[in-house]
Amino acid sequence: MISAWLIALLQALLCAALAPLLVGWVRKVKARLQNRRGAPVLQPYSDLRKLLFKETRVAHTASPLFRIAPYIVFVATWLAAATVPLIALDLPTARIADIIVLVGLLALARFFLALAGMDVGTAFGGMGASREMMVSALAEPAMLMAVFTLAMTAHSTSLVSVMEHHLADGFVLRPSYLFAFGALILVALAECGRIPVDNPSTHLELTMIHEAMILEYTGRHLALMEWAAQIKLLLYGVLVANLFFPWGIGAAFGPLALGIGLAAVVVKLGVLGAALAVGETVLAKMRLFRVPAFLNLALLLGLLGLLSHVILEVGA
Amino acid sequence: MSASPALSLAFLAVVLGLGSSAISLLAGRQPRVLRLLAMPLVGLCGLAALGAGVLALTQGGSVSATLPLGLPWMPWHVRLDALSGLFLMVIGLVTSVLGLYGPAYVRSFEYGRDSLVALGGFTGLFLVGMLLVVLADDAFLFMVAWELMSLSSYFLVAFQHENAANRRAAFLYLLMAHIGGLTILLGFGVLAAFGGGFDFDAMRAATLSPGWASVAFALAFVGFGMKAGLVPMHAWLPEAHPVAPSHISALMSGVMLKVAVYGFIRVVLDLNGEVQWFWGVVLLAVGSVSALMGVLFALMQTDLKRLLAYSSVENLGIIFIALGLALLFQATEHSMLAALALVAALYHVINHALFKGLLFLGAGAILHSTHERDLEQMGGLLRRMPWTGYFFLIGCLSISALPPFNGFVSEWLTFQAALQAWQLESGVLRSLIPIASAVLALTGALVAATFVKVYGVAFLGQARSRHVRRARVVPFGMRAGQGVLALLCVLLGVLPTQVIHLIDPVATELLGTGMPQAGASGWLWLTPISAETASYSAPLSILALALIAGLAIWWFKRRTVRGVRRCDPWDCGFAAPTPRMQYTATAFAQPVRRVFGLLFEIEEDRTTGEDGVQRYRLRLTDRLWGLVYAPVARGVESASRRVVRLQSGNVRVYLGWTLATLLVLLWIISGA
């Protein structure tokens, strides 16, 4: 029991530690694809370190909520990530929160992120908050539909049970899974603020969504916000990787199983990160009002997945 | 009269409510009496109701009594069982808080022109009406209490009647309350005809054919749904709720709508016998539409209280989705799942009473301190009214169904019930439930957007008008009232297993099965079906949240190289922002308005005035007004124009009509 909690703690720390690496990897691959040399893969760590020790400035007009928000955003995102089985199944943390709680924790983080954007009283902050809430209002139901498809198949909303069911089932190509997979990919792009929904490296004011909300943050507050965003990217990567391709994840707590689990998830994330980089190089950012069509597609895919499951697969 | 302490406490609550009303009526021109005596009595009445409800829930079973009132051959029956107990508790929770909040709030009316006699008198009667509805055990007392509740709340809506819009809202409310009351009466008529009596025991014993049971269901659904504000019968709600004084709005939105839910559950699950599966489908459909339309209209509002009223439509939609699931599962003989869905609905009933009460009290505090209901004039209130600001934040987080607050638990339970749809045999039903849950998910996300808008525009940023900039902290009583509700919101979010344990007797009483497995893995873990299927540990998640956040803050406090320094906002280096450059509530809602544009009737124009100033005007109306209400109103008008022809003004013609009516009646009687 104690060892299980220790491994859970280790996994949570690993989540936070690996997140900047994933972002560094994506940036590196993207740079190479664009014939640039790019910053080192470990650059995000240096950025975080620099920000954490820099002086923190807060606008005169900011309320206390502005200073609390980074902590809540970071902690809620991290807690959500800690409940996703990363290298081993059946951890005690996974029982604290199921898929719906995970979506709820991310929504909590987003709520405070949007409020922080509106707090200083600048036009850009409000703009970012308004757009973020619109995007998430359409993305969140799509996400729930996608995970409900999996949950209904496994008869459980616990991530561990879903993965165990999938592992026990072997490799079966279900139409519902394909739909859910498509939906989850689209949602992940929107929620993590990647191209074609939002551009993480934009500095053009009118196209920003996520960047507009954290525009007023500096120093350690900014570091926490950035880190939370990186953890969120990792979280979605792990969700996509481990929910649909759970093979390799450690079923026992032995060092060998954990080692294989870690290696497996690093490889899976590496592939996903490279795919993301290719996608971001090939695609252009959409106009804001094309985004709802994109997300409606995600919602539709999710719903189709759920319907094809209950109609085609339950009785059969 | 009765030996049961729970029933005695309930009677005490009724007597206290009547007492509060009588004192206000007698006090006449002494405005202070209302504040010092009548409002505290309301609070005591709430406490008594709360005690009665909790006792009835924990003791189990039911107690009944016959009152020496009513008609000679039809005395009034009262009965207190688990279902009544739960709703007594809901009434008691919000009402007892008003005992704290009310005295300070009504003080602002002491120097106005409005009649405090009416305010105090009708508040007491309103409470008594709601208490008696919940206690009634025969259709006669139920209808008397129901009308008492409707009529007294009409006078409270019309309280500030100098304003024509308020009078219009009150009239619309009165009209729709009476159409609803009429259909409820007809529903009871169907049940009484088969049961052979107006008391509920006779109705329970009766067996109805599926056709007649469905007629009774339809009548009850329309009647109670009208009171609960389900779309398309919601038109009165966003008009009537905001114009009442804020503590009454809290009562109307938080409690009166729940009394309608009580009536519906009582008639459909208790009195009406065998449940049909398509009732559940109707509820799912109407609930989904209400939830989605309610939240979309809420998001578009700029009047804070109106926004909260629309959000009540949405929350009642969620409750009815959960009830629909309960009916579906009950009709297909999955009682365990039906119990889960019913518990989810009842949990949301309690939650909505708490957070909507809290938010209306918060809106009242803002109104008290700034005389402003318009979001576009607010801003920066968190720094001017910190207590109200933090309590309101808890309300916003709870209503947006975010963990670890209470709204999340009930929504989570509803999702869990919906996810058991695979157990149903019928493929059609299996595919309907996911669509309803998609709507529920969309609603949840839009609610979060709505309350980010409310909180961000009202409490954050900078003040957009001078009187908001000078807002003052409200008196202690008002803060305490909000604080109690905020605390309850947190507690109900963190300790779900205890709450479910409290609600469980209701499910056992109505469906024959409870949720014994909910707390089977200990109080830390909420496992509605089994530990493998789903589990949620609110205490542990809040512990982890607090622990990590505490550690992070401690680490920074210790290691910080330099402290936080204040500076001007950056804003991409543009000119220093003024309050007018902030995003407004209308601007915030613009993307969603555009995405869901088809659902609204939008009039929008930009004009340049003679002074060269550009003006933007936006008018957004409910399409249902044109589609449903206007044709009905026109139909009624043309019908009444035809009836006018009978009224010639000639006495002989009138006598002729009277004679003809008499003859027809005599003929009918002799024929029978």
Side-chain angles (χ1 to χ4, degrees):
Chain A
M1 191 61 192
I2 298 289
S3 70
W5 279 101
L6 274 179
I7 292 172
L9 189 65
L10 177 82
Q11 186 179 281
L13 292 174
L14 202 62
C15 260
L18 277 181
L21 185 67
L22 178 64
V23 172
W25 166 249
V26 173
R27 283 191 196 152
K28 186 76 182 176
V29 176
K30 212 167 141 182
R32 296 315 298 247
L33 286 171
Q34 294 164 352
N35 282 331
R36 289 186 287 124
R37 193 176 297 149
V41 178
L42 299 181
Q43 185 64 37
Y45 291 100
S46 316
D47 291 345
L48 282 184
R49 201 185 115 78
K50 181 184 76 185
L51 285 174
L52 278 175
F53 293 101
K54 266 188 109 170
E55 184 190 48
T56 307
R57 298 188 128 205
V58 170
H60 293 299
T61 47
S63 71
L65 190 135
F66 185 79
R67 294 175 63 173
I68 309 168
Y71 297 98
I72 297 180
V73 171
F74 178 75
V75 170
T77 314
W78 192 17
L79 190 63
T83 60
V84 182
L86 179 73
I87 53 173
L89 284 170
D90 209 18
L91 292 171
T93 42
R95 298 263 176 242
I96 294 183
D98 66 350
I99 303 179
I100 308 174
V101 182
L102 180 118
V103 175
L105 283 171
L106 290 177
L108 178 71
R110 187 187 315 117
F111 196 90
F112 274 93
L113 182 64
L115 284 185
M118 298 186 79
D119 189 39
V120 176
T122 59
F124 288 129
M127 186 187 77
S130 160
R131 291 178 175 181
E132 171 82 6
M133 293 321 282
M134 188 267 285
V135 169
S136 71
L138 297 171
E140 203 182 291
M143 162 105 182
L144 279 173
M145 287 306 104
V147 292
F148 282 178
T149 309
L150 304 177
M152 271 212 181
T153 314
H155 298 169
S156 166
T157 54
S158 148
L159 282 166
V160 175
S161 303
V162 170
M163 289 177 198
E164 275 172 351
H165 178 264
H166 203 149
L167 280 175
D169 224 17
F171 188 78
V172 187
L173 195 62
R174 295 166 185 274
S176 61
Y177 270 38
L178 285 179
F179 285 124
F181 183 69
L184 197 60
I185 295 274
L186 297 187
V187 169
L189 289 178
E191 286 276 6
C192 295
R194 311 301 298 197
I195 289 175
V197 175
D198 187 11
N199 187 351
S201 54
T202 184
H203 288 286
L204 199 64
E205 291 88 354
L206 291 175
T207 62
M208 297 185 293
I209 299 181
H210 181 261
E211 296 298 308
M213 284 185 290
I214 58 171
L215 203 57
E216 299 296 327
Y217 276 112
T218 55
R220 58 174 185 259
H221 292 157
L222 182 60
L224 286 177
M225 287 292 199
E226 296 272 9
W227 202 354
Q230 292 167 355
I231 293 179
K232 196 171 171 186
L233 182 68
L234 180 89
L235 187 161
Y236 274 97
V238 174
L239 266 187
V240 171
N242 278 353
L243 274 180
F244 291 95
F245 313 100
W247 295 280
I249 195 164
F253 289 152
L256 180 70
L258 291 182
I260 293 176
L262 180 62
V265 86
V266 167
V267 171
K268 283 185 253 182
L269 285 177
V271 173
L272 274 179
L276 177 65
V278 173
E280 293 211 317
T281 312
V282 177
L283 295 173
K285 188 189 168 303
M286 287 187 289
R287 276 176 58 218
L288 185 71
F289 283 102
R290 301 292 296 277
V291 172
F294 177 85
L295 290 168
N296 285 344
L297 176 66
L299 183 60
L300 201 64
L301 282 177
L303 199 58
L304 275 179
L306 203 50
L307 288 180
S308 60
H309 172 71
V310 290
I311 294 170
L312 300 177
E313 293 165 17
V314 169
Chain B
M1 190 160 44
S2 68
S4 147
L7 199 56
S8 315
L9 264 177
F11 285 136
L12 178 66
V14 173
V15 171
L16 284 170
L18 281 175
S20 159
S21 170
I23 284 174
S24 316
L25 289 177
L26 293 177
R29 293 177 194 284
Q30 291 291 315
R32 238 185 272 166
V33 173
L34 178 65
R35 172 158 56 95
L36 297 178
L37 211 54
M39 284 313 290
L41 271 182
V42 164
L44 287 179
C45 160
L47 278 182
L50 178 63
V54 172
L55 269 182
L57 278 174
T58 47
Q59 286 176 341
S62 71
V63 274
S64 43
T66 310
L67 298 185
L69 295 165
L71 299 174
W73 65 93
M74 209 191 276
W76 286 352
H77 299 81
V78 292
R79 181 161 174 270
L80 182 55
D81 56 6
L83 181 64
S84 316
L86 182 93
F87 283 86
L88 268 185
M89 186 179 86
V90 171
I91 299 174
L93 276 174
V94 180
T95 312
S96 50
V97 167
L98 288 191
L100 287 171
Y101 183 92
Y105 189 74
V106 295
R107 195 170 185 174
S108 56
F109 295 116
E110 276 181 16
Y111 307 103
R113 294 186 299 166
D114 307 309
S115 157
L116 287 180
V117 173
L119 181 62
F122 286 117
T123 307
L125 285 180
F126 181 40
L127 277 175
V128 170
M130 292 195 289
L131 291 172
L132 284 178
V133 167
V134 174
L135 288 171
D137 196 33
D138 61 86
F140 181 35
L141 176 58
F142 189 98
M143 287 314 297
V144 169
W146 185 265
E147 288 301 320
L148 181 64
M149 176 179 93
S150 295
L151 285 176
S152 50
S153 54
Y154 160 74
F155 287 106
L156 293 171
V157 171
F159 174 56
Q160 285 168 326
H161 54 81
E162 296 88 356
N163 191 337
N166 295 5
R167 286 199 300 274
R168 191 175 153 265
F171 176 71
L172 183 65
Y173 171 51
L174 188 68
L175 190 69
M176 297 203 50
H178 278 88
I179 298 172
L182 193 67
T183 51
I184 295 170
L185 190 62
L186 288 175
F188 277 131
V190 172
L191 290 173
F194 283 90
F198 278 97
D199 53 324
F200 286 173
D201 275 333
M203 295 185 190
R204 259 182 221 112
T207 42
L208 275 70
S209 66
W212 278 109
S214 300
V215 170
F217 162 79
L219 288 169
F221 182 56
V222 171
F224 291 117
M226 207 164 261
K227 196 64 159 182
L230 295 179
V231 174
M233 303 171 276
H234 68 290
W236 64 274
L237 198 152
E239 306 291 328
H241 284 204
V243 300
S246 297
H247 63 292
I248 302 298
S249 312
L251 267 187
M252 288 181 74
S253 255
V255 184
M256 187 180 74
L257 302 182
K258 306 305 144 36
V259 174
V261 175
Y262 163 81
F264 181 76
I265 296 179
R266 176 65 81 196
V267 169
V268 172
L269 280 174
D270 189 17
L271 305 181
N272 205 354
E274 199 75 2
V275 174
Q276 305 292 321
W277 62 268
F278 65 88
W279 302 354
V281 177
V282 172
L283 252 61
L284 272 187
V286 175
S288 304
V289 173
S290 301
L292 193 58
M293 296 293 283
V295 70
L296 282 173
F297 275 101
L299 183 52
M300 296 305 138
Q301 302 308 313
T302 52
D303 176 333
L304 179 55
K305 286 180 74 180
R306 207 176 149 84
L307 183 151
L308 292 176
Y310 266 118
S311 141
S312 292
V313 174
E314 169 251 320
N315 276 287
L316 266 289
I318 294 178
I319 293 172
F320 273 81
I321 290 179
L323 281 179
L325 288 173
L327 289 188
L328 263 182
F329 286 129
Q330 181 69 7
T332 49
E333 278 155 25
H334 295 93
S335 336
M336 294 275 276
L337 299 179
L340 168 61
L342 183 67
V343 167
L346 294 174
Y347 207 127
H348 203 73
V349 163
I350 305 176
N351 287 345
H352 182 240
L354 292 175
F355 52 62
K356 194 47 66 64
L358 171 59
L359 292 172
F360 263 119
L361 295 190
I366 299 176
L367 195 60
H368 180 86
S369 153
T370 66
H371 304 285
E372 194 58 74
R373 265 165 46 180
D374 186 5
L375 282 173
E376 308 289 26
Q377 306 294 322
M378 295 181 193
L381 282 171
L382 179 60
R383 280 182 295 167
R384 302 296 307 174
M385 308 165 67
W387 287 102
T388 303
Y390 290 120
F391 295 145
F392 202 88
L393 180 63
I394 291 179
C396 289
L397 290 166
S398 306
I399 201 170
S400 306
L402 296 174
F405 295 92
N406 61 355
F408 179 74
V409 180
S410 45
E411 207 155 313
W412 188 78
L413 289 171
T414 313
F415 276 131
Q416 291 298 346
L419 281 175
Q420 297 302 316
W422 58 271
Q423 299 201 15
L424 295 172
E425 286 76 29
S426 151
V428 180
L429 295 185
R430 276 209 307 265
S431 42
L432 275 178
I433 292 177
I435 295 176
S437 60
V439 174
L440 188 59
L442 183 59
T443 307
L446 286 168
V447 173
T450 308
F451 283 90
V452 164
K453 170 183 121 166
V454 169
Y455 200 78
V457 172
F459 284 93
L460 306 177
Q462 299 177 58
R464 292 174 175 81
S465 60
R466 191 195 280 165
H467 44 282
V468 170
R469 197 171 302 126
R470 292 182 185 162
R472 290 262 187 100
V473 173
V474 290
F476 176 76
M478 290 173 74
R479 277 178 282 153
Q482 297 171 58
V484 171
L485 286 178
L487 182 70
L488 284 170
C489 280
V490 175
L491 280 182
L492 261 73
V494 177
L495 301 171
T497 39
Q498 272 81 346
V499 182
I500 289 177
H501 186 68
L502 196 64
I503 303 177
D504 211 31
V506 184
T508 318
E509 174 190 286
L510 290 177
L511 306 170
T513 337
M515 281 175 65
Q517 66 292 357
S521 319
W523 66 276
L524 274 179
W525 308 91
L526 175 60
T527 49
I529 296 143
S530 70
E532 287 73 40
T533 309
S535 61
Y536 166 49
S537 174
L540 284 184
S541 61
I542 199 168
L543 188 71
L545 277 171
L547 208 66
I548 311 174
L551 271 178
I553 293 172
W554 169 79
W555 188 79
F556 281 119
K557 283 266 180 270
R558 209 172 57 91
R559 296 220 27 175
T560 308
V561 198
R562 295 179 207 137
V564 167
R565 197 143 61 95
R566 292 281 177 169
C567 60
D568 288 330
W570 152 236
D571 204 24
C572 285
F574 288 100
T578 68
R580 287 198 52 194
M581 287 159 69
Q582 297 175 93
Y583 244 50
T584 59
T586 312
F588 190 93
Q590 190 261 353
V592 177
R593 191 164 64 234
R594 199 161 150 175
V595 174
F596 292 93
L598 279 178
L599 295 174
F600 314 113
E601 229 170 81
I602 301 175
E603 280 176 52
E604 194 174 22
D605 58 32
R606 255 176 241 110
T607 47
T608 312
E610 285 172 13
D611 45 0
V613 179
Q614 294 227 341
R615 285 193 176 75
Y616 172 75
R617 197 178 61 86
L618 175 75
R619 229 176 84 93
L620 193 134
T621 39
D622 199 333
R623 272 189 195 279
L624 286 171
W625 270 110
L627 286 176
V628 179
Y629 290 89
V632 170
R634 273 198 301 276
V636 169
E637 248 172 51
S638 70
S640 47
R641 230 174 275 125
R642 271 175 215 149
V643 173
V644 161
R645 286 187 205 152
L646 295 179
Q647 295 182 323
S648 55
N650 190 336
V651 178
R652 274 165 296 180
V653 178
Y654 288 160
L655 284 175
W657 282 115
T658 315
L659 189 65
T661 314
L662 189 67
L663 282 176
V664 170
L665 285 177
L666 282 175
W667 175 65
I668 291 173
I669 289 172
S670 65

